[in-house]
Amino acid sequence: MLVLLVDTAAGGGGVADTVAVTTLGLLLGGAGLAVLFSIGLAAYLLAPLGALGEGAQRVGRGDFRSPLPAGREDELGQLAEAFNAMMSRLAELDALKDGFLSKISHDLRTPLQVILSKADNLSQGVYGALAGAQVEAVAVVLRSSAALSGIID
């Protein structure tokens, strides 16, 4: 609240005082409007940037399914659309990667199980007794196959 005290006891200057008070009121009112406009403009510009920051954090965590709000016709809207297109492409690439790894894991699992089974049979003497160096070689095959199996699973 603004309270102006004007000394009118001196007589004279009535118009000048009124003009001064009016001018001061207009200046303060204009400054107040400018502040309100600035706050509104800042919110209008910063909200999409905040959403972009949150979207970048989601992408960093591997969440490609939450697009940014779009619909603005300015540069920030274009940025949101480009970011959403990037997220969509990353989701496609992530799905391709998952499919590739699943197929490779499946394709490696069967022959590895055969190797483990045959090496286990060799170590148990199913195919006959093994010499000292052969026992160590089969043990290395078993350990390496088990380690590889752990990676695949």
Short mmCIF file of all heavy atoms in Angstrom, two decimals, residues 122-123 128-140 143:
data_model
loop_
_atom_site.label_atom_id
_atom_site.label_comp_id
_atom_site.label_asym_id
_atom_site.label_seq_id
_atom_site.Cartn_x
_atom_site.Cartn_y
_atom_site.Cartn_z
N LEU A 122 33.24 -86.13 -19.44
CA LEU A 122 34.68 -86.45 -19.51
C LEU A 122 35.29 -86.47 -18.11
O LEU A 122 36.07 -87.37 -17.78
CB LEU A 122 35.42 -85.43 -20.39
CG LEU A 122 35.27 -85.60 -21.90
CD1 LEU A 122 35.84 -84.38 -22.61
CD2 LEU A 122 35.98 -86.86 -22.36
N SER A 123 34.94 -85.47 -17.29
CA SER A 123 35.53 -85.38 -15.96
C SER A 123 35.09 -86.54 -15.07
O SER A 123 35.80 -86.94 -14.15
CB SER A 123 35.19 -84.06 -15.30
OG SER A 123 33.82 -84.02 -14.94
N GLY A 128 35.83 -92.97 -20.49
CA GLY A 128 37.10 -93.62 -20.16
C GLY A 128 37.93 -92.74 -19.25
O GLY A 128 37.64 -91.57 -19.02
N ALA A 129 38.99 -93.32 -18.76
CA ALA A 129 39.87 -92.60 -17.83
C ALA A 129 40.67 -91.54 -18.57
O ALA A 129 41.01 -91.70 -19.74
CB ALA A 129 40.81 -93.57 -17.14
N LEU A 130 40.97 -90.43 -17.86
CA LEU A 130 41.76 -89.34 -18.43
C LEU A 130 43.14 -89.30 -17.79
O LEU A 130 43.30 -89.64 -16.62
CB LEU A 130 41.06 -88.00 -18.18
CG LEU A 130 39.66 -87.81 -18.77
CD1 LEU A 130 39.08 -86.46 -18.33
CD2 LEU A 130 39.68 -87.90 -20.28
N ALA A 131 44.12 -88.91 -18.58
CA ALA A 131 45.48 -88.73 -18.06
C ALA A 131 45.51 -87.41 -17.28
O ALA A 131 44.60 -86.59 -17.36
CB ALA A 131 46.47 -88.70 -19.22
N GLY A 132 46.57 -87.17 -16.53
CA GLY A 132 46.70 -85.99 -15.65
C GLY A 132 46.48 -84.67 -16.38
O GLY A 132 45.74 -83.81 -15.92
N ALA A 133 47.10 -84.47 -17.52
CA ALA A 133 46.96 -83.22 -18.26
C ALA A 133 45.54 -83.09 -18.81
O ALA A 133 44.99 -81.97 -18.89
CB ALA A 133 47.97 -83.16 -19.40
N GLN A 134 44.93 -84.21 -19.18
CA GLN A 134 43.56 -84.17 -19.69
C GLN A 134 42.57 -83.77 -18.59
O GLN A 134 41.61 -83.05 -18.85
CB GLN A 134 43.18 -85.53 -20.28
CG GLN A 134 43.97 -85.88 -21.53
CD GLN A 134 43.73 -87.32 -21.96
OE1 GLN A 134 43.49 -88.20 -21.12
NE2 GLN A 134 43.80 -87.56 -23.27
N VAL A 135 42.80 -84.25 -17.39
CA VAL A 135 41.93 -83.90 -16.26
C VAL A 135 41.96 -82.39 -16.04
O VAL A 135 40.91 -81.75 -15.85
CB VAL A 135 42.35 -84.66 -14.98
CG1 VAL A 135 41.60 -84.14 -13.76
CG2 VAL A 135 42.14 -86.15 -15.16
N GLU A 136 43.15 -81.80 -16.06
CA GLU A 136 43.29 -80.35 -15.86
C GLU A 136 42.64 -79.59 -17.02
O GLU A 136 41.97 -78.57 -16.80
CB GLU A 136 44.76 -79.95 -15.72
CG GLU A 136 44.99 -78.47 -15.53
CD GLU A 136 44.24 -77.88 -14.33
OE1 GLU A 136 44.03 -78.58 -13.33
OE2 GLU A 136 43.83 -76.70 -14.42
N ALA A 137 42.80 -80.06 -18.26
CA ALA A 137 42.20 -79.40 -19.42
C ALA A 137 40.68 -79.42 -19.33
O ALA A 137 40.01 -78.41 -19.61
CB ALA A 137 42.67 -80.06 -20.71
N VAL A 138 40.11 -80.55 -18.93
CA VAL A 138 38.66 -80.65 -18.80
C VAL A 138 38.17 -79.74 -17.67
O VAL A 138 37.12 -79.10 -17.78
CB VAL A 138 38.23 -82.12 -18.58
CG1 VAL A 138 36.77 -82.20 -18.18
CG2 VAL A 138 38.49 -82.95 -19.82
N ALA A 139 38.93 -79.63 -16.60
CA ALA A 139 38.56 -78.74 -15.49
C ALA A 139 38.54 -77.28 -15.95
O ALA A 139 37.64 -76.52 -15.57
CB ALA A 139 39.51 -78.94 -14.32
N VAL A 140 39.51 -76.90 -16.79
CA VAL A 140 39.53 -75.53 -17.33
C VAL A 140 38.31 -75.30 -18.22
O VAL A 140 37.67 -74.24 -18.15
CB VAL A 140 40.86 -75.28 -18.11
CG1 VAL A 140 40.78 -73.99 -18.91
CG2 VAL A 140 42.04 -75.26 -17.17
N ARG A 143 35.26 -74.83 -15.91
CA ARG A 143 35.25 -73.52 -15.25
C ARG A 143 34.93 -72.40 -16.25
O ARG A 143 34.11 -71.51 -15.96
CB ARG A 143 36.60 -73.25 -14.58
CG ARG A 143 36.81 -73.98 -13.28
CD ARG A 143 38.01 -73.45 -12.51
NE ARG A 143 39.24 -73.40 -13.29
CZ ARG A 143 40.13 -74.40 -13.39
NH1 ARG A 143 39.91 -75.54 -12.74
NH2 ARG A 143 41.21 -74.26 -14.10
#
